[in-house]
Amino acid sequence: QVQVVESGGGLVQAGGSLRLSCTISGSRFNDWNMGWFRQAPGKEREGVSCISHTGRTTYYAGSVKGRFTISRDNAEKVLTLQMNEVKPDDTAIYYCAAGLRVTTDGCAASSPKWGQGTQVTVSS
């Protein structure tokens, strides 16, 4: 059974940095295209960033481009989202997902495996 587990959320001041991590158990990590989605109160879940299983293809939503960096270490089985220059609008529950379709134009999530989510709160 594949399980996706996130860690690293918390409270941070605007302009600060935060790092989210994610790993998979029950399956080969480097078989999976992966990414991060987020959902703010009263809003739909949106794709933030995703990365192909090789790491060669990445996508960033316009709202985070230049501030967030997605990376993966297949040897260590870790997916990372480095969040810099965070803004109050980045406040949301962040979900790690595995099993995406990744292109430079977007992340498609037809039936991915979801993590439980981790809260990120940015104070102004």
Side-chain angles (χ1 to χ4, degrees), residues 31-104:
D31 282 348
W32 297 83
N33 294 336
M34 300 182 69
W36 295 93
F37 288 69
R38 68 186 180 186
Q39 188 165 20
K43 295 187 177 181
E44 293 187 356
R45 192 174 296 190
E46 63 172 350
V48 175
S49 180
C50 54
I51 188 168
S52 63
H53 65 100
T54 61
R56 286 197 286 262
T57 302
T58 59
Y59 163 80
Y60 295 94
S63 58
V64 307
K65 193 174 292 185
R67 300 187 298 120
F68 292 8
T69 301
I70 192 169
S71 61
R72 65 188 298 158
D73 185 331
N74 285 343
E76 296 295 324
K77 302 180 182 180
V78 175
L79 173 75
T80 299
L81 184 69
Q82 179 67 40
M83 306 167 62
N84 296 330
E85 301 176 31
V86 295
K87 304 174 182 180
D89 283 350
D90 294 322
T91 295
I93 299 175
Y94 283 70
Y95 297 90
C96 181
L100 305 172
R101 187 169 66 86
V102 178
T103 70
T104 54

Side-chain angles (χ1 to χ4, degrees), residues 1-4 24-27 32 98 113:
Q1 183 177 358
V2 179
Q3 286 192 311
V4 178
I24 290 177
S25 62
S27 183
W32 297 83
K113 306 293 185 182

Side-chain angles (χ1 to χ4, degrees), residues 1-29:
Q1 183 177 358
V2 179
Q3 286 192 311
V4 178
V5 180
E6 310 99 334
S7 62
L11 175 64
V12 61
Q13 286 191 329
S17 296
L18 201 63
R19 179 177 294 179
L20 305 183
S21 297
C22 174
T23 191
I24 290 177
S25 62
S27 183
R28 281 165 48 93
F29 181 83

